[in-house]
Amino acid sequence: MGVTRRSSMRREPVLVSAIRAAGAGGPPAGADGFYAPPAALPAEPGALVRAERTTVSLLPGWALPATDAWRLMYRSTSATGEPVGVTATLLVPWAAPPPSRDGGRAVVAYAVGGHGLGEQCTPSVQLHHGTQVELAVIAAHLAQGWAVVVTDYQRSPGHAFLNAAASAHAVLDAVRAARRVPGAGLDAGPVGIAGYGPGGAAAAAAAERHPAYAPELDLRGVTAGAAPANLAAVLAAADGTAHAGLVPAALAGLHAAYPDLGLEALTPAGRSALQVAARRCLPDVLDRWAGRPTAELVGAGGLAALLAAAPAWRARLDDQRLGRRTPRAPVLLYHGLGDPIVPYGVVHRLADDWRSRGADVQLAAYPVAVHGGALVEAVPQVHHWLGRHLAP
């Protein structure tokens, strides 16, 4: 299908301030023993390790109404194929589900964006304390009668931020685990996936890996907004801009996913920046590195010189590129034409790559939207599109 162009309001300052406030709330996940994976994990991806009731808040002290909530730990698979314990939040609305041909309630795996690598930025911690800015979008999914499961991604031994394989596995295994939660009533039903920004990349990666990794899931549709499908291109565009903090955050995520990556190619300032990024929420990292060149991280020549001199880093960064596997389920990609963080061409190329492989892809463009604006502007379109694909 062709490109659909839609109008948008400039809501970026509101979104950024909301994410900044979200990063300040909640204790580190490590302060709660629930988040510590057991020494031995089950063999089966998606196996439920533990589940317990929890509360979710729209704002601090304001509980999400008419919804049952659980926090989960489940077995997933790292970027290197190792078993990892991943946590998530499962939300099931009290309202009766829309009818489906198999009689089950639809489950939407919602992949939140990049709020940061620090434990205090863990989505389930923010959901509990009322500081997760994307809960408004999640609640709109619940209002459709769908259950929603929100993965925390791989965060142990470190947060594999922006890692395609680990994020895809965490999203797909979250659905498998949700179906095993006693009392949730989700043993059957269609599946949708939605995400934006880094969550859009996770959703898109899950769409690509679903046929091989979780073919038993009845995945009906995937929506992915502003997906950084070519991470190298996104980081190159961020160099020296207000969003330059994405570079140390992404490199910290790569090092967490692949601990064998050596740090000797980085400057002392670069190694320190990765340590800071691994402990902070993203707005703090963006503030710290705003306008600074990547040469401060890796020396003369910046990121391009690092990738030329360090084949292991170049290969691992290239591994994150999407578009080289074929989604089986239909996909809606959407993006703001004015996005200063993820260049529009990155998402347009992903759509072209998938179409060349025979995938069913729609690309919606929002002409005025900057990065956060399209997330808000696209809510009606995303719900209509998902609803049509999740219907009987």
Side-chain angles (χ1 to χ4, degrees), residues 157-381:
H159 180 15
F161 180 58
L162 285 170
N163 185 273
S167 297
H169 298 157
V171 167
L172 294 166
D173 286 329
V175 178
R176 288 167 158 165
R179 289 192 162 164
R180 294 174 165 132
V181 174
L186 301 176
D187 53 341
V191 177
I193 298 175
Y196 190 84
E208 287 192 343
R209 292 174 184 267
H210 157 253
Y213 186 77
E216 82 283 1
L217 295 181
D218 180 18
L219 182 59
R220 303 277 189 85
V222 177
T223 65
N230 183 337
L231 187 55
V234 172
L235 298 185
D239 192 354
T241 73
H243 313 105
L246 287 173
V247 178
L251 296 184
L254 281 175
H255 190 256
Y258 311 108
D260 58 331
L261 284 176
L263 298 179
E264 61 274 3
L266 276 63
T267 65
R271 291 191 286 272
S272 175
L274 264 62
Q275 292 176 349
V276 170
R279 299 193 305 267
R280 302 289 183 90
C281 292
L282 193 56
D284 293 337
V285 179
L286 294 176
D287 277 350
R288 183 178 291 256
W289 281 89
R292 295 164 68 175
T294 56
E296 293 187 36
L297 298 170
V298 297
L303 185 63
L306 168 67
L307 299 183
W313 279 95
R314 183 174 65 250
R316 291 306 193 185
L317 186 59
D318 184 65
D319 285 344
Q320 312 320 310
R321 183 171 172 180
L322 305 178
R324 293 181 286 206
R325 294 174 173 85
T326 309
R328 188 171 67 195
V331 182
L332 169 65
L333 296 174
Y334 60 99
H335 200 167
L337 290 177
D339 192 330
I341 300 177
V342 180
Y344 179 76
V346 167
V347 175
H348 196 285
R349 173 64 184 271
L350 177 61
D352 286 346
D353 287 343
W354 277 347
R355 287 172 181 149
S356 72
R357 304 178 69 90
D360 178 359
V361 183
Q362 178 181 343
L363 174 60
Y366 290 78
V368 185
V370 286
H371 186 67
L375 170 63
V376 179
E377 192 73 12
V379 167
Q381 183 184 18

